Amino acid sequence: MGSLTVDILAEEPPLAKFADTKTTEVKTEEVTLEEKSIDLGYTEGSKAEYTIIEEPSRSKRKIRIVCVGAGASAINFAHEVEQSKLDLELVCYDKNPQIGGTWFENKYPGCACDIPSVNYQLTWAPSAHWSSFYSGAPEILRYFQGAAQKHGLMKYFKVNHRVVGAYWQENEKMWLIKVQMGDNPEDVFEDKCDIFINATGVLNKWKWPEIKGLETFQGAKLHSANWDDKVELKGKKVGVIGSGSSAVQIVPSIQPIVGDMKCFIRSPGWVTAGFGQRFAGKGGTNFKYSELQKYILANDPKKYLAYRKKIESELNARFRFILNGSTEQQEAREAAEKDMRRKLAKKPEIADFIIPKDFAVGCRRPTPGNGYLEALCEDNVTVVSQSIQEITPKGIKTVDGQEHEFDVLVCATGFDVSWKPAYPTIGRENRSLADEWKDVPNTYLSITVPHFPNYLIFNGPFGPYGHGSFLPITELLGRHFIKILDKMSSEGVTSFEAKEEAVADFIQHRRQFLPRTAWSSPCRSWFKGGTVDGEVMMWPGSRIHFFETMENPRWEDYDLTYTTTNRFGYFGNGFAAREFDGRDLSWYLGLLDGDEMQQAFPDEDFAEFLTQA
């Protein structure tokens, strides 16, 4: 029989920082384990020296966080930090002169949200002042900026600060962040943080279309994500390249004022009403809230919440139409085609081209375009289905040899959707995130990446993009990230890194599941990196599926490092932090009046029970 002898040596016991403890004699004991072999996971002498930390268990250590971005995700996360009882230091750097993210950057005519206003808001900052069912970009920007100001969050943001590099420092278990002030590439300073968060989203790097001769055009060029209001459109000959979510808002907005407009549409697409169209105006159109409706929103919070929940519940039920072969998918297709043909009745030849024949509704994010199809039928609008060969000094030449002359070119051609960061992001072993993602931007559950410890992403690759309002998703992830920070702060964790095998399992599951969905059908979509047949970068399940999956971190999927050589180093000197910080010492019996702090219990209040006093 093998045996193991463990000597428990007497030594000076640790003392709490905040209280005296009596020393007790510790005797040497011999322990014999009746087993053939005992595997302790390390050999004698291989475990580094361990010293007990002289502080109570779960004493919170300070965590410093750098976040890139100042849009909805960053604003919500700042609120999470503001409300947290952890010792957190947060700074959010953003390249723009104001907070607001995409709602600050996108200023093109007609820019609006396709989610109902009352459901495109933060749960901790409901507004009773929405002017219409679907809100425009200026109103949404005012909402986010107002929420940040009202809740004291502006102190976390530094605008006109562009992150230009992020480098993991293994010895310190910290990120080194390089930040450029303003537009001067020489004015760069360094910051350090325990946690680096990317809250920029994928649709933040706009790009000109890759068309031969673009730079030769002698007229004005506009991009939907970099709009210049100074360019005069009234009475001009305008060419619009693109048919995505920006184009369908721009075209009906400028159609009444331009002289002549040609829309270059290279591929079919489903054009629908906005999300929650059953609650919108006739035919899914927008409408202004009446004074009575505004009064209810402002004065009946229960009914307001029920109204939001009614719409939200219907949005959450939409996932069924994404599943190939489902009754819901067939019904969605039939309804969308019928609606599109009705709106294109003046020019039915457009319907024959623009209505998809080989992919389902939802393959691309449905493009809500109130007034877009009707605008295409106006006398001053022409749809060009011929592919573009090149751009000339005077306009656009199509493959049939025709040259279309314009005063203004509008490029509603979107963004760089490769997911590659705009700055060097260098993790462990000098790995570059751009190189790691050169083929497929694999992630662990959309929130982090192996070899890039302490790096978190709000709605990264393979997150739920086509699943309704993004805001409840980003709120969920904010809470998820706070739970990660709690463990780091309370249990002496210095780094976390997703295991490669966990990512491999995620890849395997999603690659088997996603072919079941409309997202995999042959359409060109940014869900597939702007390709027709690329990998679908979508969450493999419904919105509620994501909510439940991401409720809590799965620590079994991470490799961790600690402040000491022992994972239980945070046990400390045997006391709990609660015993010294004033919290209730018998909380497990229940709280009195909801108070988490220890209350005084004077003897005189219990005289009838203190019979021996």
Side-chain angles (χ1 to χ4, degrees):
M1 281 289 187
S3 65
L4 172 68
T5 300
V6 180
D7 288 333
I8 303 175
L9 302 178
E11 58 179 86
E12 183 178 351
L15 299 180
K17 283 184 176 180
F18 308 100
D20 292 331
T21 54
K22 295 182 180 180
T23 60
T24 56
E25 183 180 358
V26 182
K27 297 182 179 180
T28 299
E29 301 178 8
E30 180 176 280
V31 181
T32 301
L33 303 178
E34 296 296 327
E35 296 289 345
K36 291 184 178 179
S37 64
I38 303 294
D39 182 8
L40 297 180
Y42 59 89
T43 58
E44 185 178 357
S46 68
K47 190 77 170 175
E49 183 178 350
Y50 169 62
T51 303
I52 287 177
I53 299 174
E54 297 300 338
E55 63 182 25
S57 171
R58 297 187 179 276
S59 295
K60 310 288 188 184
R61 70 183 182 95
K62 188 173 187 176
I63 303 289
R64 177 170 170 77
I65 310 149
V66 166
C67 178
V68 187
S73 292
I75 292 169
N76 175 73
F77 187 69
H79 181 260
E80 288 288 345
V81 169
E82 180 76 2
Q83 297 297 309
S84 175
K85 295 179 180 179
L86 300 174
D87 188 1
L88 304 176
E89 182 180 350
L90 170 68
V91 59
C92 300
Y93 294 118
D94 193 74
K95 65 184 186 297
N96 294 321
Q98 297 180 32
I99 70 168
T102 189
W103 298 110
F104 172 79
E105 293 181 352
N106 287 276
K107 301 174 181 178
Y108 60 81
C111 183
C113 184
D114 57 8
I115 300 292
S117 305
V118 297
N119 294 85
Y120 194 77
Q121 58 182 343
L122 299 159
T123 57
W124 48 268
S127 172
H129 305 291
W130 296 110
S131 63
S132 56
F133 187 71
Y134 299 113
S135 292
E139 186 172 9
I140 296 171
L141 178 61
R142 288 194 300 272
Y143 165 77
F144 281 115
Q145 292 182 341
Q149 292 167 357
K150 179 179 178 181
H151 291 269
L153 308 179
M154 294 301 296
K155 62 190 176 188
Y156 295 111
F157 293 93
K158 291 187 181 296
V159 295
N160 289 317
H161 284 63
R162 182 187 299 270
V163 170
V164 294
Y167 307 85
W168 175 250
Q169 310 295 294
E170 184 64 38
N171 290 338
E172 299 175 80
K173 300 295 188 289
M174 299 186 79
W175 282 93
L176 172 68
I177 311 297
K178 293 187 177 182
V179 185
Q180 176 183 309
M181 296 279 286
D183 297 323
N184 182 4
E186 302 299 321
D187 190 1
V188 175
F189 66 91
E190 295 182 349
D191 196 355
K192 284 190 175 181
C193 59
D194 301 291
I195 304 293
F196 182 42
I197 298 180
N198 184 340
T200 61
V202 65
L203 303 180
N204 71 88
K205 291 185 293 178
W206 68 272
K207 65 174 185 176
W208 292 108
E210 296 177 359
I211 302 175
K212 178 184 175 182
L214 178 64
E215 71 284 353
T216 68
F217 181 65
Q218 294 178 351
K221 292 196 299 284
L222 293 170
H223 193 285
S224 55
N226 190 38
W227 197 265
D228 185 355
D229 288 326
K230 301 185 187 67
V231 175
E232 179 60 61
L233 297 177
K234 187 174 182 180
K236 301 294 184 180
K237 292 185 292 183
V238 178
V240 179
I241 303 173
S243 57
S245 57
S246 300
V248 301
Q249 294 180 335
I250 291 171
V251 168
S253 299
I254 67 174
Q255 177 270 321
I257 63 172
V258 302
D260 177 78
M261 179 163 56
K262 291 185 177 181
C263 298
F264 293 80
I265 302 175
R266 67 175 176 177
S267 57
W270 294 106
V271 180
T272 66
F275 290 86
Q277 57 187 278
R278 190 168 74 84
F279 304 93
K282 185 177 181 180
T285 59
N286 200 7
F287 69 87
K288 296 285 186 181
Y289 279 119
S290 68
E291 291 305 312
L292 172 61
Q293 291 167 331
K294 290 179 181 179
Y295 178 84
I296 293 172
L297 298 184
N299 296 281
D300 193 341
K302 184 176 180 180
K303 190 168 187 176
Y304 185 10
L305 177 59
Y307 174 51
R308 290 160 57 196
K309 286 175 68 67
K310 183 175 178 63
I311 298 173
E312 190 83 3
S313 297
E314 192 159 302
L315 293 179
N316 283 336
R318 288 168 56 93
F319 182 70
R320 290 179 175 84
F321 88 74
I322 290 295
L323 299 178
N324 292 332
S326 66
T327 301
E328 290 83 357
Q329 185 180 90
Q330 182 62 31
E331 290 173 348
R333 183 187 184 99
E334 291 172 356
E337 179 168 353
K338 181 180 179 181
D339 186 57
M340 289 180 68
R341 289 194 179 278
R342 177 180 61 80
K343 292 177 178 178
L344 292 168
K346 283 177 62 177
K347 296 182 180 180
E349 69 278 8
I350 298 178
D352 293 337
F353 162 68
I354 203 174
I355 293 175
K357 298 177 177 62
D358 58 353
F359 62 85
V361 177
C363 178
R364 300 161 64 176
R365 182 180 172 96
T367 306
N370 289 323
Y372 173 67
L373 298 176
E374 295 89 337
L376 296 182
C377 294
E378 294 295 334
D379 293 338
N380 66 336
V381 179
T382 302
V383 172
V384 180
S385 60
Q386 293 287 330
S387 297
I388 296 173
Q389 179 176 314
E390 63 178 329
I391 293 176
T392 68
K394 293 182 178 181
I396 294 175
K397 185 177 182 180
T398 48
V399 292
D400 59 358
Q402 183 177 354
E403 184 174 20
H404 309 262
E405 296 185 3
F406 301 109
D407 302 308
V408 181
L409 276 185
V410 174
C411 298
T413 48
F415 301 82
D416 175 357
V417 290
S418 68
W419 290 98
K420 294 177 183 177
Y423 46 83
T425 304
I426 309 300
R428 277 185 170 139
E429 303 169 355
N430 205 36
R431 292 175 183 252
S432 165
L433 188 56
D435 291 341
E436 296 288 303
W437 282 359
K438 67 180 184 297
D439 297 321
V440 179
N442 284 313
T443 61
Y444 168 74
L445 306 185
S446 82
I447 63 170
T448 190
V449 189
H451 312 295
F452 293 82
N454 298 10
Y455 178 61
L456 294 169
I457 315 168
F458 273 104
N459 214 25
F462 303 99
Y465 311 109
H467 297 61
S469 175
F470 165 70
L471 296 187
I473 294 167
T474 204
E475 287 193 46
L476 169 75
L477 291 178
R479 295 190 295 270
H480 187 100
F481 292 174
I482 289 292
K483 290 175 181 178
I484 290 175
L485 298 178
D486 191 0
K487 185 176 182 72
M488 292 189 72
S489 176
S490 303
E491 298 185 12
V493 175
T494 54
S495 75
F496 61 89
E497 178 189 340
K499 295 178 180 178
E500 287 189 312
E501 56 264 35
V503 175
D505 283 349
F506 181 47
I507 292 171
Q508 181 185 51
H509 177 79
R510 71 169 192 257
R511 285 179 176 171
Q512 289 196 29
F513 176 82
L514 288 170
R516 301 182 180 187
T517 69
W519 300 316
S520 64
S521 51
C523 67
R524 187 177 302 277
S525 168
W526 70 263
F527 295 163
K528 293 178 280 190
T531 67
V532 173
D533 56 0
E535 180 152 9
V536 180
M537 286 178 278
M538 188 68 74
W539 179 260
S542 69
R543 198 160 173 247
I544 292 176
H545 179 276
F546 183 81
F547 289 159
E548 292 192 344
T549 301
M550 302 303 290
E551 182 67 25
N552 293 296
R554 287 174 45 89
W555 290 109
E556 61 268 36
D557 295 341
Y558 290 95
D559 288 320
L560 308 178
T561 63
Y562 299 86
T563 55
T564 73
T565 59
N566 189 314
R567 73 188 62 200
F568 298 119
Y570 72 93
F571 279 14
N573 61 14
F575 287 92
R578 177 184 291 273
E579 296 178 74
F580 305 101
D581 62 15
R583 282 182 292 165
D584 192 340
L585 297 179
S586 56
W587 77 100
Y588 46 85
L589 298 180
L591 301 178
L592 289 172
D593 301 322
D595 190 354
E596 295 182 352
M597 304 308 290
Q598 178 66 26
Q599 298 189 23
F601 300 111
D603 286 358
E604 52 267 29
D605 289 353
F606 305 92
E608 57 268 51
F609 296 102
L610 300 176
T611 58
Q612 299 181 30

